[in-house]
Amino acid sequence: MSRCVIIGGASIGDYAAVREYLKADDYNVFCDSGLRHTDGLRIKPHLIVGDFDSHPKPDLPVETIVLPCEKDDTDTVYAVKEAVSRGYSDFLLAGVIGNRLDHTIGNVSILLMLAALGKTAKIVDDYSEMEIVSKDPVYIEDKFPYFSLLNISGKAEGVTIKNAKYTLDNSAINCDYQYGVSNEVIRGLSAEVTVAEGELLLIKIKRDRQ
């Protein structure tokens, strides 16, 4: 089955950087004001979801799910749940990291939700890639100048980092002491990260903010 791409309404400053991740057979879901990114991303929606409080309801020949404004799920969370119910297991989210910290944290938490369901997911923005790391090794190429490991779910033990400036061997990273920020891959190698128990948010920095 193809991958599901979820497009939110947060700002995208570098469309070319996001387009590099897109594939011709992606199933594209646009959430409310995410529709403003259709031209910049050069893709069309297969499904539109939203309460349309931040964008006019589109008049397009595309399946559209209109949500109430007052609800527990954000438009983005609803879109992800809908895609899961349709059988998608691989996700890419863009336009979900923005100026609203509450929405940003909520959208990052979607990665945890999908990981708990056994799905794979990645968030991309102008400057980074984000994904959840647990028992399966994750590799970071040296094209990324920095990477960070953050605990956002309560418990992460048996953390091992190899081929990086700052290595770890069977260590713990807790929510109240985030010492896994801004590590570096050893040039010419790929860093390897595993978490024996729990999970961490891996943020791979593509470039520094100008």
Side-chain angles (χ1 to χ4, degrees), residues 127-199:
Y127 301 96
S128 64
E129 297 179 11
M130 306 180 198
E131 61 187 294
I132 297 299
V133 183
S134 55
K135 292 181 180 180
D136 293 332
V138 172
Y139 299 93
I140 305 132
E141 301 171 59
D142 65 353
K143 67 179 182 180
F144 296 98
Y146 304 101
F147 71 93
S148 296
L149 287 166
L150 301 174
N151 188 329
I152 61 171
S153 62
K155 186 177 183 179
E157 297 179 346
V159 181
T160 298
I161 304 174
K162 300 178 181 178
N163 299 331
K165 183 176 181 179
Y166 306 107
T167 60
L168 286 178
D169 183 17
N170 197 31
S171 301
I173 297 179
N174 300 318
C175 289
D176 59 354
Y177 182 37
Q178 305 279 8
Y179 66 90
V181 176
S182 203
N183 205 338
E184 299 177 38
V185 183
I186 294 176
R187 187 171 297 277
L189 299 176
S190 292
E192 178 183 331
V193 178
T194 55
V195 182
E197 184 176 354
E199 52 206 356

Side-chain angles (χ1 to χ4, degrees), residues 27-209:
Y27 180 77
N28 303 315
V29 182
F30 281 76
C31 304
D32 205 316
S33 59
L35 286 164
R36 65 194 176 99
H37 298 310
T38 52
D39 290 342
L41 293 177
R42 301 175 189 171
I43 56 174
K44 295 181 179 180
H46 298 99
L47 174 66
I48 299 170
V49 172
D51 54 23
F52 302 106
D53 62 347
S54 58
H55 190 280
K57 182 179 177 296
D59 184 19
L60 297 172
V62 176
E63 181 183 3
T64 301
I65 299 176
V66 179
L67 303 174
C69 289
E70 296 183 0
K71 56 189 182 300
D72 291 332
D73 291 343
T74 64
D75 295 342
T76 307
V77 169
Y78 184 97
V80 170
K81 289 182 175 179
E82 180 65 23
V84 168
S85 74
R86 298 185 183 203
Y88 289 92
S89 60
D90 186 20
F91 289 81
L92 176 73
L93 290 85
V96 299
I97 305 298
N99 295 330
R100 284 281 300 269
L101 181 60
D102 50 351
H103 279 287
T104 293
I105 293 175
N107 289 333
V108 170
S109 295
I110 290 173
L111 295 177
L112 291 172
M113 179 180 72
L114 288 170
L117 294 172
K119 315 299 182 184
T120 58
K122 179 181 293 185
I123 290 175
V124 297
D125 63 13
D126 294 346
Y127 301 96
S128 64
E129 297 179 11
M130 306 180 198
E131 61 187 294
I132 297 299
V133 183
S134 55
K135 292 181 180 180
D136 293 332
V138 172
Y139 299 93
I140 305 132
E141 301 171 59
D142 65 353
K143 67 179 182 180
F144 296 98
Y146 304 101
F147 71 93
S148 296
L149 287 166
L150 301 174
N151 188 329
I152 61 171
S153 62
K155 186 177 183 179
E157 297 179 346
V159 181
T160 298
I161 304 174
K162 300 178 181 178
N163 299 331
K165 183 176 181 179
Y166 306 107
T167 60
L168 286 178
D169 183 17
N170 197 31
S171 301
I173 297 179
N174 300 318
C175 289
D176 59 354
Y177 182 37
Q178 305 279 8
Y179 66 90
V181 176
S182 203
N183 205 338
E184 299 177 38
V185 183
I186 294 176
R187 187 171 297 277
L189 299 176
S190 292
E192 178 183 331
V193 178
T194 55
V195 182
E197 184 176 354
E199 52 206 356
L200 292 172
L201 174 67
L202 169 64
I203 304 179
K204 297 182 284 186
I205 306 302
K206 294 185 287 186
R207 58 190 174 95
D208 284 333
R209 187 177 298 273

